[in-house]
Amino acid sequence: MESKKVTVMQKLLKANDAIAAEIRGSLKAKKIFFINLMSSPGSGKTTLIEETVKRLGKKIKVIEGDIQTTLDAERLQKLGVQAFQINTGPFGGDCHLESAWIRAAIDELGMEDVDYLFVENIGNLVCPAEFDVGAHLNVLLISVTEGEDKPLKYPLAFQVSQLCLVTKTDFLPLKNFSLKKLRENIKKVNPACAVIEISAHSGSGLESWIEIVKNRPGIG
Amino acid sequence: MESKKVTVMQKLLKANDAIAAEIRGSLKAKKIFFINLMSSPGSGKTTLIEETVKRLGKKIKVIEGDIQTTLDAERLQKLGVQAFQINTGPFGGDCHLESAWIRAAIDELGMEDVDYLFVENIGNLVCPAEFDVGAHLNVLLISVTEGEDKPLKYPLAFQVSQLCLVTKTDFLPLKNFSLKKLRENIKKVNPACAVIEISAHSGSGLESWIEIVKNRPGIG
């Protein structure tokens, strides 16, 4: 039973990866930089997109993943950004986004006159890391209130990401939390991962983030 | 493909539910009260168990679920509590615990001279809610830093829980967060769910929590 489950999963992941590669290539050809944001629930993904839109302008489209509700898409539409909401609830409450759904959302949104595509993945530090969505940059958000041990406990999410944003730094200093240890733990599971500390409330660190987005690594 | 996936999932869940019911009955017969703790990563599950052990004494056993590391089991062993760590990493990093693994852990731990069994589920607000582990009380922890919209976005986790603990209330008041709205949102998705606000740091609300644990609802 267990080996059958693994085989089915491998087939699913292979199909997912093929579509992801196709998305990555097609958006690169159109000079659209695609960023996938992953994190636990409530680490600040939507707030980060809001702050990014304010600084980058309107040539951004966003695909929002949630099990239920269109709350996040509505927040972004208020800023004049076109946002498409994928609700996985009807599919049994799926805990991640798959590349085929991203492709369908891209077709629905249209990609004319767009410089940046953001995907806000389902709030989950486990499953989204297994499914490549075709992004040029995978970004993992972790808030300081979640604790310094998370990279060790959820290594895959940190390993598939090229950039880690440590969010909500306005809460620092915190009892039983060391930023230094968090950085060490990220390095242990993914030495190549860049780390930036940010606070959407104070604005601290957001310039460095915007700089990276504007540099469009891998796309130009 | 989609319908085949659903059929396989239904069979898996049915098998899981049968074992869960068996665990629930067997522990009830032994007068062992079984509590399943679920939440996002870093909402304070391990800290809550630590504070509970300090107040309830040592007739407690704990099953710790994590994808990787034995950090949480080690924290509890320091308090003199017997803790068994399930690491789902070898099974592809599974994002939840299943009842068959709980049964195996119970056999391994032994249940002589035990009053309480705690399971700390994988930090994930999505998948653990789909898998009954056989507990007498499902408890959902949500920290105030995660935001008031989470019950609407992840309703199943709140719907399968009889008690919701709002944690880290020492952070209050918070910008862009209303405790009243969080309570309203919990009520919307599960009107029967009891809600208690706690802070492990200040100790606030812990007495009410311990009272519920000692009352052993459904077991006596």
Side-chain angles (χ1 to χ4, degrees):
Chain A
M1 187 63 204
E2 191 60 38
S3 77
K4 179 132 191 186
K5 189 178 158 197
V6 169
T7 312
V8 171
M9 192 66 188
Q10 281 168 342
K11 273 192 194 163
L12 270 174
L13 285 175
K14 213 172 155 185
N16 183 78
D17 285 354
I19 299 172
E22 181 195 309
I23 294 171
R24 195 162 17 247
S26 146
L27 291 180
K28 186 178 177 175
K30 291 180 186 157
K31 299 262 176 207
I32 299 169
F33 189 47
F34 175 10
I35 297 173
N36 174 37
L37 301 179
M38 295 179 285
S39 82
S40 301
S43 302
K45 296 184 291 304
T46 317
T47 303
L48 178 72
I49 298 177
E50 286 174 333
E51 294 304 318
T52 306
V53 165
K54 287 180 198 164
R55 285 160 176 83
L56 275 185
K58 303 275 189 307
K59 288 190 168 185
I60 296 177
K61 294 205 178 179
V62 182
I63 298 168
E64 284 289 334
D66 269 307
I67 295 172
Q68 289 203 20
T69 81
T70 53
L71 294 170
D72 287 347
E74 287 161 26
R75 274 173 67 179
L76 295 169
Q77 281 155 1
K78 274 184 197 160
L79 295 173
V81 169
Q82 217 187 326
F84 185 89
Q85 183 88 43
I86 297 176
N87 277 149
T88 65
F91 311 108
D94 257 318
C95 47
H96 60 273
L97 296 177
E98 296 184 15
S99 55
W101 311 341
I102 300 299
R103 184 170 59 183
I106 287 175
D107 289 346
E108 194 70 33
L109 274 167
M111 285 292 138
E112 291 77 41
D113 203 30
V114 176
D115 289 336
Y116 302 95
L117 173 66
F118 282 83
V119 160
E120 180 177 341
N121 222 307
I122 310 278
N124 181 341
L125 217 44
V126 189
C127 319
E130 295 177 25
F131 289 83
D132 186 356
V133 293
H136 304 114
L137 185 70
N138 284 316
V139 180
L140 196 281
L141 284 76
I142 172 120
S143 79
V144 296
T145 58
E146 292 172 55
E148 64 211 22
D149 55 356
K150 296 306 167 291
L152 305 179
K153 287 177 165 182
Y154 305 89
L156 189 62
F158 291 83
Q159 280 155 359
V160 300
S161 298
Q162 294 82 44
L163 174 64
C164 180
L165 297 177
V166 180
T167 65
K168 308 196 187 184
T169 54
D170 44 299
F171 281 120
L172 295 174
L174 277 174
K175 214 174 134 182
N176 300 329
F177 174 81
S178 152
L179 200 54
K180 189 168 161 270
K181 271 197 191 151
L182 176 62
R183 278 183 168 270
E184 284 169 5
N185 288 338
I186 296 170
K187 222 180 176 81
K188 267 184 203 165
V189 300
N190 183 2
C193 190
V195 181
I196 300 177
E197 292 145 27
I198 64 168
S199 161
H201 282 178
S202 75
S204 160
L206 286 180
E207 273 174 46
S208 311
W209 156 248
I210 295 294
E211 199 61 32
I212 289 176
V213 175
K214 279 188 179 166
N215 277 340
R216 307 156 62 90
I219 293 292
Chain B
M1 186 66 206
E2 192 58 42
S3 78
K4 179 132 194 188
K5 188 178 156 196
V6 170
T7 312
V8 170
M9 191 67 188
Q10 281 167 342
K11 273 192 195 164
L12 268 174
L13 285 175
K14 211 173 158 185
N16 183 77
D17 285 355
I19 299 172
E22 181 195 308
I23 294 171
R24 195 160 21 247
S26 147
L27 291 180
K28 186 178 177 175
K30 290 181 187 158
K31 299 260 177 210
I32 299 169
F33 188 47
F34 174 12
I35 297 173
N36 174 37
L37 300 179
M38 293 179 286
S39 82
S40 299
S43 301
K45 296 184 293 301
T46 317
T47 304
L48 178 72
I49 298 177
E50 286 174 333
E51 294 305 317
T52 305
V53 164
K54 287 179 197 165
R55 286 159 175 84
L56 274 185
K58 304 272 189 303
K59 287 191 169 184
I60 296 177
K61 293 203 178 180
V62 182
I63 298 169
E64 284 290 334
D66 270 306
I67 295 172
Q68 290 205 17
T69 81
T70 53
L71 294 169
D72 287 349
E74 288 161 26
R75 274 173 68 178
L76 295 167
Q77 281 155 1
K78 275 184 196 159
L79 295 171
V81 169
Q82 216 187 327
F84 184 89
Q85 182 87 43
I86 297 177
N87 277 147
T88 65
F91 311 110
D94 257 318
C95 47
H96 60 273
L97 295 177
E98 296 185 13
S99 56
W101 312 341
I102 301 298
R103 185 170 59 184
I106 287 175
D107 289 347
E108 193 69 31
L109 273 168
M111 284 293 139
E112 294 76 41
D113 203 29
V114 176
D115 289 337
Y116 301 95
L117 173 67
F118 282 83
V119 161
E120 180 178 341
N121 221 306
I122 309 279
N124 181 341
L125 216 46
V126 189
C127 319
E130 295 177 24
F131 290 82
D132 186 356
V133 293
H136 303 113
L137 186 69
N138 284 317
V139 179
L140 197 280
L141 283 76
I142 172 122
S143 79
V144 295
T145 58
E146 291 172 57
E148 64 211 22
D149 55 356
K150 296 306 168 288
L152 305 179
K153 287 179 165 180
Y154 305 89
L156 189 62
F158 291 84
Q159 280 155 358
V160 300
S161 298
Q162 294 82 43
L163 173 64
C164 180
L165 298 178
V166 180
T167 64
K168 308 196 187 183
T169 55
D170 45 298
F171 281 120
L172 294 175
L174 277 174
K175 215 174 134 181
N176 299 329
F177 175 81
S178 151
L179 200 54
K180 189 169 162 269
K181 271 196 189 151
L182 175 63
R183 278 183 167 271
E184 283 169 6
N185 288 339
I186 296 170
K187 222 181 175 84
K188 267 183 203 167
V189 300
N190 184 1
C193 190
V195 181
I196 300 177
E197 292 143 28
I198 65 167
S199 161
H201 281 179
S202 75
S204 161
L206 287 180
E207 274 174 43
S208 311
W209 155 249
I210 295 294
E211 198 61 32
I212 289 176
V213 176
K214 280 187 178 164
N215 278 340
R216 305 157 61 92
I219 294 292

